[in-house]
Amino acid sequence: MASEDLYAIAADWLKSLEVASSAGDATSFVSHFVSDGWFRDLLCFSWNFRTLSGVADGKSRLEHSGLRDFKLDDHTVNAPSPLILPGLQGIEGVQGAFTFTITKPAALGRGFFRLIQDGDGKWKALTLFTNMQDLVGHEESSADQHGLYEGRKMTWEEDVDAKFRAIEADPTVLIVGGGQAGLTSAARLRRLGIRALVIEKNPRVGDSWRQRYCFTVPIRMCLPPFKGTMYLSNARTTFPKYIPKGKLANFLDSYAADQELCIWLSSSIASTPVYDSSSARWTVEVQHGDRKVFLNPKHLVLATGYGSPRIPTWNGMDEFQGALYHSDFHKNAEQFRGKRVVVVGADEKVTMVQRSATCVISSSAIEQTYFKSPFPDGTPIEELDFRNNSMPVAFLLQLAISGGTQHMKMLDKELHEALRKVGFNLTWEPSPGSGEVGLVGFLFSRLNSGTMLDVGCGKLIVEGRVKIKQGQDISHFDKDGITFKDGSKLSADVIVLATGNESIMNTTRAVLGNEITEQLPPKVWGLDSEGELNQTYRPSGHPGLWFAAGSFEFSRFFSKHLGLQILARELGIA
Ligand SMILES: Cc1cc2nc3c(=O)[nH]c(=O)nc-3n(C[C@H](O)[C@H](O)[C@H](O)COP(=O)(O)OP(=O)(O)OC[C@H]3O[C@@H](n4cnc5c(N)ncnc54)[C@H](O)[C@@H]3O)c2cc1C
């Protein structure tokens, strides 16, 4: 399709949508969608994340919110372009971004549409995404300190110190956990002028990564907000394509300093926090180094990472005389060279115990699909985030089932066939009956638990250098290994429990106690009935309580929404 045609189709449809929107005419607004179209909204129509499909919802919200001033994006990489979706082969479409204003509250928004032709040949939305970008008058301050302090009476150090003292004396937000989710949330809040204090139990920012054994994402994918493109251009000269975990840890450390985030290290919550609904404040006792401090924040953000290691118990575990530990505590394998190792959960001396099936995807398949940007080098990462998140997750899962997963399977066909031959059990369903949603389904429903991103282990399994013990439950341990329920036995010097992590609710219970945890919906993460992530970066179900979690991409994008929701509450408009 010629570029003029793309623009004309997009402009006509958008103009007509604006007329419906300005008039608050929900029926007309809905008529701009194909009958099985999708509408995802982040904060424009409610102070929440919603995905609507079908024609019943949205009437009163449309009139109330008053979306106006639609302007087609004609200058970014998200300007009108042909629509290409895996799982929708053969369908010609147009996609593009636009900006708009919101009347109530006064805000700026940005949208993204994917148009296809309906049965009558009319262009209609297959998906529409509306996203609040900024509250007018409270935009994220984007100007970094320029280093010159004309007219100021303080040095830069004194200035930062004074800001930190003000935060420490009365933090509006207390963020528990200084990993990427906590740090990006703090950086967003700072730019919105909200006092946020981070407490981190480790002695150094980045320690959560220093203590791990791997990181498998290219540098482009793990940039936090406000550092994106500039940092990426520097990183190209000093970083390998896949950032090593130690470098990532050091980067987070420098990010915290660079963004002037107020962080108490070696600090954690000392006793169960209490929420007073009349003052809408928490009382939180914090162990800060060797002293105890009471804080009264209005908001508590739990950014404590994955749940604690899930360590099942089997009879005889304490009799085992070799090394036994959870994979979270694995640092490196050098000390075990030549020993017999059993990995519970998969050289000739390592055996992986595989109880159920695993979703295996090679790093090259991931690279070709998820990591490949549709945009030229140097494009701000925010444009990619915006495009990616414009897709309603429930529709994304449908696309995976109707073709996306099949495409991924083809990319790894040889690996999968070879793995099957040696008895390795594969699946693309995170739960029975979920359909073959593949990696994306595992990510949203199980935080990737049950997947294996193959960076070489697959080859070791195929070559028999890592053996597979398949489909058997463990009966018990004894002093030199494991006995299975079928009576077979594996002798071992080292047993690694790659048995996953407890749910985030489990950590929540440990931090907030039973009473508050019982008031919350049962899950953090996983998808709700509309396909939005349960309680993550959105209202948790308890006033003044928020959860921040997930990969860098999630944190980078949704930390802004967390900031906007907290800001709106502080302004008394939410
Ligand atoms: C082994 C491993 C490899 C991974 N590899 C990748 C990858 O390659 N790419 C990717 O995108 N994602 C990866 N992930 C997933 C995800 O990105 C990471 O788990 C990421 O660290 C999540 O960030 P976070 O800030 O939510 O949690 P974390 O980085 O775990 O940070 C949580 C922080 O909270 C602190 N904390 C916890 N409880 C308390 C408390 N009570 N008081 C004070 N502080 C507390 C912890 O010390 C920690 O610093 C991986 C995860 C693991 C476990």
Side-chain angles (χ1 to χ4, degrees):
M1 204 184 295
S3 149
E4 315 81 81
D5 296 339
L6 292 171
Y7 271 78
I9 292 164
D12 281 357
W13 176 85
L14 191 64
K15 183 84 215 130
S16 174
L17 185 77
E18 184 179 16
V19 171
S21 177
S22 309
D25 184 344
T27 310
S28 169
F29 191 87
V30 169
S31 73
H32 288 76
F33 289 77
V34 293
S35 58
D36 54 352
W38 296 84
F39 181 19
R40 182 177 207 197
D41 174 64
L42 304 183
L43 306 182
C44 301
F45 288 92
S46 69
W47 285 108
N48 211 328
F49 302 169
R50 303 287 312 270
T51 291
L52 308 173
S53 176
V55 294
D57 293 281
K59 285 192 184 178
S60 56
R61 298 262 175 218
L62 183 64
E63 271 179 297
H64 175 84
S65 303
L67 265 54
R68 288 189 170 70
D69 310 323
F70 290 26
K71 286 195 182 62
L72 190 63
D73 186 333
D74 59 3
H75 62 282
T76 77
V77 287
N78 279 311
S81 63
L83 170 65
I84 300 161
L85 288 178
L88 274 190
Q89 287 86 352
I91 294 185
E92 215 179 11
V94 178
Q95 61 186 359
F98 63 102
T99 55
F100 55 88
T101 61
I102 305 169
T103 314
K104 267 192 201 152
L108 303 175
R110 193 172 183 212
F112 194 87
F113 52 79
R114 293 179 179 82
L115 308 181
I116 57 172
Q117 282 172 295
D118 69 4
D120 300 328
K122 288 197 177 122
W123 288 96
K124 297 205 168 170
L126 175 63
T127 71
L128 174 65
F129 174 57
T130 47
N131 184 49
M132 185 186 283
Q133 301 284 105
D134 286 300
L135 282 162
V136 173
H138 304 276
E139 292 78 1
E140 272 182 342
S141 67
S142 57
D144 283 327
Q145 299 282 14
H146 51 58
L148 295 174
Y149 288 85
E150 207 177 319
R152 291 203 190 187
K153 296 197 174 70
M154 284 194 258
T155 62
W156 171 79
E157 284 82 1
E158 287 165 346
D159 185 50
V160 172
D161 197 50
K163 282 184 188 133
F164 278 18
R165 295 293 87 83
I167 294 172
E168 290 169 314
D170 182 20
T172 307
V173 183
L174 180 65
I175 300 174
V176 186
Q180 81 227 13
L183 297 178
T184 52
S185 299
R188 294 285 190 187
L189 289 162
R190 178 180 171 271
R191 300 283 178 137
L192 290 171
I194 294 174
R195 293 188 303 273
L197 172 66
V198 180
I199 55 170
E200 165 56 52
K201 67 182 178 189
N202 284 315
R204 204 174 152 199
V205 173
D207 276 350
S208 60
W209 284 107
R210 282 184 198 96
Q211 289 157 8
R212 288 176 185 155
Y213 57 93
C214 67
F215 188 67
T216 42
V217 165
I219 175 72
R220 178 172 61 76
M221 308 300 283
C222 52
L223 299 171
F226 310 118
K227 282 303 259 184
T229 314
M230 184 191 88
Y231 182 72
L232 186 57
S233 50
N234 293 339
R236 283 214 180 81
T237 54
T238 52
F239 281 66
K241 184 168 177 187
Y242 287 82
I243 181 169
K245 67 184 180 80
K247 247 177 177 326
L248 180 65
N250 293 345
F251 171 58
L252 285 179
D253 204 358
S254 67
Y255 178 75
D258 179 71
Q259 296 296 311
E260 295 170 11
L261 306 181
C262 185
I263 305 178
W264 285 357
L265 294 165
S266 304
S267 301
S268 62
I269 291 190
S271 58
T272 307
V274 177
Y275 187 73
D276 175 19
S277 16
S278 54
S279 63
R281 283 189 182 262
W282 294 90
T283 300
V284 188
E285 187 186 9
V286 174
Q287 184 73 48
H288 177 30
D290 52 11
R291 66 193 176 101
K292 289 212 164 102
V293 183
F294 281 93
L295 299 170
N296 293 109
K298 293 191 197 163
H299 304 268
L300 196 55
V301 177
L302 292 194
T304 48
Y306 283 20
S308 48
R310 181 182 295 132
I311 305 184
T313 48
W314 287 282
N315 285 337
M317 268 173 107
D318 47 358
E319 286 167 29
F320 179 62
Q321 290 184 348
L324 171 66
Y325 62 93
H326 187 273
S327 54
D328 268 15
F329 304 110
H330 181 75
K331 301 278 180 310
N332 75 63
E334 190 53 40
Q335 56 182 316
F336 301 130
R337 187 182 285 279
K339 306 255 187 210
R340 296 163 304 167
V341 180
V342 172
V343 181
V344 178
D347 40 3
E348 70 241 60
K349 291 204 168 111
V350 177
T351 304
M352 190 192 279
V353 178
Q354 192 196 26
R355 192 178 59 169
S356 48
T358 310
C359 178
V360 176
I361 303 187
S362 68
S363 55
S364 66
I366 297 251
E367 178 106 34
Q368 286 177 59
T369 48
Y370 297 107
F371 292 167
K372 200 166 75 184
S373 166
F375 303 139
D377 270 10
T379 304
I381 194 85
E382 289 76 15
E383 291 295 329
L384 183 62
D385 287 346
F386 178 70
R387 165 100 56 110
N388 285 344
N389 286 290
S390 71
M391 183 62 97
V393 177
F395 181 50
L396 192 65
L397 297 181
Q398 271 188 13
L399 289 174
I401 293 172
S402 65
T405 303
Q406 201 53 37
H407 176 69
M408 297 292 289
K409 280 198 217 171
M410 287 305 294
L411 295 174
D412 279 331
K413 197 161 173 270
E414 279 176 27
L415 172 68
H416 290 157
E417 275 170 11
L419 283 170
R420 272 203 203 88
K421 266 194 200 141
V422 293
F424 195 89
N425 208 345
L426 297 165
T427 186
W428 284 269
E429 289 191 0
S431 57
S434 63
E436 292 202 333
V437 287
L439 187 65
V440 64
F442 276 86
L443 167 65
F444 285 109
S445 61
R446 296 174 52 177
L447 248 173
N448 276 341
S449 151
T451 62
M452 181 172 117
L453 173 54
D454 181 37
V455 290
C457 184
K459 187 162 177 266
L460 297 178
I461 295 170
V462 170
E463 290 171 352
R465 290 165 65 199
V466 168
K467 296 216 163 39
I468 296 295
K469 172 80 184 169
Q470 223 280 316
Q472 279 304 317
D473 279 334
I474 292 171
S475 160
H476 60 272
F477 283 53
D478 59 29
K479 67 181 176 40
D480 57 8
I482 295 173
T483 301
F484 294 88
K485 288 201 171 146
D486 66 353
S488 58
K489 191 173 167 170
L490 273 178
S491 299
D493 303 308
V494 184
I495 298 176
V496 183
L497 299 174
T499 41
N501 293 71
E502 300 292 350
S503 71
I504 295 178
M505 285 316 272
N506 192 277
T507 320
T508 306
R509 195 174 288 279
V511 174
L512 296 181
N514 287 335
E515 200 183 321
I516 290 175
T517 309
E518 298 302 324
Q519 294 169 38
L520 298 172
K523 265 180 119 176
V524 173
W525 205 266
L527 297 176
D528 69 11
S529 58
E530 292 179 356
E532 296 295 342
L533 279 173
N534 288 310
Q535 336 318 337
T536 317
Y537 294 106
R538 60 193 286 218
S540 68
H542 187 288
L545 178 65
W546 307 88
F547 291 94
S551 68
F552 275 88
E553 293 156 282
F554 274 100
S555 310
R556 188 170 59 224
F557 188 73
F558 287 106
S559 53
K560 172 127 188 210
H561 300 83
L562 177 68
L564 285 170
Q565 291 169 88
I566 290 178
L567 174 64
R569 277 159 178 78
E570 289 310 293
L571 296 171
I573 56 171

